[in-house]
Amino acid sequence: MTPTEEIRAAAAKLDDLVQALGDNRGPWYIVNEQARHYPQTISNIGVPYRVASTTTDPHHEPTDAQYICAMHPGVGRALAKLLDQTADALDGTEVSADEPALVLARAVNYDHLQAKARHRDEAALATARTIDDGGQQ
């Protein structure tokens, strides 16, 4: 896959995820931010849906919830548009690995389930090697 294809794939993924939300497209807000910091409930403006709940130590600010609200689906739509426009501008050019749109695209396209499975497999392999070595490092 070329860098511009990666960027377009990320834009399409974001678009698909936002569309799949239906009425829950935001913006989002913290229901109980002023009342207390623990737990935080994030809801949808407009058609009310509970988006998420976060828990942190009650002595800390609700930064997890604030971040979730800041990255609501409207942001996803804007990022998808930006990625599409950037892919058009970069098409046919040499794209460096540190191109911001490519870095963003790779973060969006990141397969967390595959990464988790790879980590689990590496841990199992390390355990098997330890056993094969008779417990010696």
Side-chain angles (χ1 to χ4, degrees):
M1 185 179 290
T2 68
T4 54
E5 289 170 338
E6 287 185 72
I7 295 169
R8 285 193 177 94
K13 181 178 180 179
L14 287 172
D15 275 335
D16 290 348
L17 289 170
V18 170
Q19 290 304 315
L21 290 171
D23 291 336
N24 198 13
R25 293 191 195 137
W28 296 340
Y29 71 102
I30 304 170
V31 174
N32 56 332
E33 184 173 19
Q34 301 306 318
R36 65 179 191 271
H37 295 307
Y38 178 79
Q40 300 90 39
T41 301
I42 296 105
S43 190
N44 185 64
I45 292 176
V47 179
Y49 288 102
R50 174 181 268 182
V51 174
S53 290
T54 64
T55 56
T56 58
D57 183 315
H59 303 311
H60 291 91
E61 294 295 314
T63 52
D64 291 348
Q66 291 166 345
Y67 185 81
I68 291 168
C69 289
M71 296 305 291
H72 65 84
V75 175
R77 275 193 301 272
L79 285 172
K81 184 175 180 178
L82 180 64
L83 287 170
D84 268 334
Q85 291 173 347
T86 303
D88 289 344
L90 294 173
D91 208 14
T93 66
E94 184 74 27
V95 179
S96 71
D98 62 349
E99 161 61 44
L102 183 57
V103 172
L104 175 60
R106 288 178 174 165
V108 169
N109 292 332
Y110 179 76
D111 186 337
H112 66 279
L113 294 176
Q114 187 178 53
K116 184 177 178 180
R118 186 171 45 250
H119 175 73
R120 184 188 60 236
D121 292 346
E122 288 169 0
L125 183 58
T127 300
R129 285 185 182 136
T130 300
I131 291 169
D132 285 346
D133 292 341
Q136 303 298 316
Q137 290 290 340

